[in-house]
């Protein structure tokens, strides 16, 4: 099982870039694909998440928990999906407030058997 994780600062009324860009499992490349489980939280209210798999929204502008800590799996899971081989995962965070907020996220990947 692989893990990609980070914290991302999102400016006032802005949307982050794809947080998975350039990371190991941005594209499903193992065997028949992989399972992805994303957990995310924010430092305060006002962050929304969008997840696209090959340009199809599986989570669209969903509110995130404002717990102000790194996500705990499985408590803070936002999405759990199977991604076929070759598909690209695209995750962005949108700040709806007038101040900069921090998003804490972790994505676990596991080969699909």
């Amino acid at each position: 099982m692989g893990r990609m994780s980070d914290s991302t600062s999102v400016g006032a009324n802005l949307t982050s870039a794809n947080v998975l860009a350039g990371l190991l499992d941005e594209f499903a490349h193992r065997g028949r694909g992989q399972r992805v489980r994303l957990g995310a939280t924010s430092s305060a209210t006002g962050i929304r998440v969008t997840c696209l798999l090959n340009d199809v929204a599986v989570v669209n502008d969903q509110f995130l928990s404002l717990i102000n800590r790194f996500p705990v799996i499985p408590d803070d899971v936002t999405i759990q999906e199977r991604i076929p081989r070759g598909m690209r995962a695209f995750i962005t965070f949108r700040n709806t407030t007038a101040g900069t907020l921090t998003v804490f996220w972790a994505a676990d990947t596991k080969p699909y058997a």
Side-chain angles (χ1 to χ4, degrees):
M1 178 181 284
R3 172 165 269 210
M4 301 171 288
S5 61
D6 203 355
S7 62
T8 303
S9 180
V10 184
N13 295 308
L14 295 176
T15 301
S16 72
N18 178 13
V19 296
L20 298 179
L23 297 180
L24 178 64
D25 290 325
E26 175 185 6
F27 293 90
H29 61 277
R30 297 183 223 170
R32 294 183 3 207
Q34 58 199 33
R35 293 182 187 270
V36 174
R37 182 169 51 182
L38 171 71
T41 60
S42 67
S43 60
T45 191
I47 293 286
R48 297 188 169 272
V49 61
T50 297
C51 180
L52 304 173
L53 300 178
N54 265 10
D55 298 326
V56 176
V58 291
V59 173
N60 191 19
D61 214 34
Q62 178 180 323
F63 174 78
L64 279 186
S65 169
L66 54 109
I67 200 83
N68 196 22
R69 62 160 166 73
F70 209 75
V72 173
I73 305 293
D75 298 347
D76 299 312
V77 168
T78 301
I79 183 174
Q80 187 167 327
E81 288 285 328
R82 177 180 180 263
I83 302 177
R85 185 181 178 132
M87 246 190 190
R88 180 181 189 203
F90 194 94
I91 299 170
T92 60
F93 299 103
R94 183 172 70 91
N95 184 349
T96 62
T97 69
T100 300
L101 298 177
T102 303
V103 177
F104 308 96
W105 63 271
D108 292 335
T109 60
K110 179 180 177 183
Y112 188 78

